[in-house]
Amino acid sequence: MSTAAMLLVVAGCTSGTEQPGQPSKPSAVKPSAATRPTVTPAPYDKSPARPLGKAAATGRDEAFLRKAFDSGVPTGYEVPPVDEVAVIHRLSAETGELAWMPDGHTFCYGMVRGDYRSFKCGRLPEEAPAPGLLLTHPGDSDGVTSEDNLEQLRRVVFVMAEGGPKRFDHVKPRKQLGVVHQAVARFPSGRMVTFLTFDYPGHGWELDPEARICRSDRAICFPSQPVPD
């Protein structure tokens, strides 16, 4: 009598076939966890995430948002409603960093420094850069500079992590690294994401292989040294 092969579908992959030459044994029923996907099935959420707590834009952010969106956003994307904008860092009344997610796969990140503004929009990578991380962007210049003020130039790193609202911070040597700023947003499904930014010198940077940023419970950590494009 031939032995039937069972096909298990786990996170989009199939199991191997039964090995020959082994005695037939009664099949035990596996617990449901054995066939549970290891990643959240796509799409995560079709509705936008909305910021929580102090990340929500208020009247004090009006000038900042106006300056951020006065020239629109990258082609193919839309200026979000105010209640979908997460303010990550309020540097001044008209400068800072913000982000939003119109759905569970799409992100946009923006930065304003004086008359300089920068936006990055796109789809999250299919493969996460590390457990618990969704995206790491190595850094944009925080302004237009010249050779006369290179020493003042900073670069701003943007990171997205699963979950919230636990705090992230530097846990190893943080020489020349700026403060970690963060904002949490939640989808209607209950899934939460954390937007993070911090800056580092854009000139004369010395890599520190031990420098790391971790969530307070140490469940998510990542190197704080910039990774080249």
Side-chain angles (χ1 to χ4, degrees):
M1 179 183 296
S2 62
T3 304
M6 179 178 292
L7 183 65
L8 298 180
V9 180
V10 182
C13 297
T14 57
S15 66
T17 57
E18 184 180 344
Q19 295 296 318
Q22 297 198 0
S24 175
K25 294 182 180 179
S27 298
V29 177
K30 297 290 186 181
S32 60
T35 56
R36 188 177 301 147
T38 57
V39 295
T40 307
Y44 294 118
D45 286 275
K46 294 181 180 179
S47 300
R50 285 182 165 78
L52 301 180
K54 295 180 179 179
T58 64
R60 63 176 170 168
D61 301 305
E62 183 177 349
F64 170 43
L65 298 185
R66 184 170 57 248
K67 178 167 273 191
F69 297 125
D70 64 356
S71 299
V73 295
T75 302
Y77 299 88
E78 298 180 356
V79 173
V82 172
D83 66 349
E84 294 177 16
V85 177
V87 181
I88 308 169
H89 180 203
R90 295 173 174 91
L91 186 60
S92 73
E94 294 187 344
T95 60
E97 295 125 37
L98 52 84
W100 69 95
M101 291 188 73
D103 59 60
H105 288 298
T106 310
F107 74 93
C108 282
Y109 153 67
M111 176 176 63
V112 179
R113 294 292 190 273
D115 293 330
Y116 174 78
R117 57 187 290 281
S118 172
F119 274 109
K120 298 287 183 183
C121 291
R123 300 273 290 178
L124 294 178
E126 293 294 330
E127 184 176 347
L133 293 181
L134 296 171
L135 177 79
T136 57
H137 180 65
D140 289 318
S141 168
D142 68 355
V144 179
T145 186
S146 69
E147 293 184 1
D148 295 331
N149 63 354
L150 281 176
E151 296 297 332
Q152 301 175 20
L153 179 65
R154 307 283 291 183
R155 294 184 68 83
V156 180
V157 179
F158 174 61
V159 177
M160 288 179 58
E162 286 277 14
K166 291 182 172 65
R167 290 292 309 174
F168 284 80
D169 205 353
H170 300 282
V171 294
K172 289 293 184 180
R174 45 182 170 177
K175 181 172 55 178
Q176 299 177 297
L177 295 173
V179 173
V180 178
H181 302 280
Q182 74 176 61
V184 178
R186 181 171 58 200
F187 289 96
S189 66
R191 176 185 176 229
M192 291 189 286
V193 293
T194 299
F195 305 116
L196 302 161
T197 61
F198 64 95
D199 62 18
Y200 65 93
H203 180 71
W205 169 254
E206 296 180 7
L207 294 179
D208 184 347
E210 295 187 356
R212 297 181 67 75
I213 291 174
C214 291
R215 202 168 71 179
S216 58
D217 60 1
R218 300 299 190 268
I220 302 176
C221 291
F222 55 92
S224 53
Q225 65 186 44
V227 179
D229 286 318

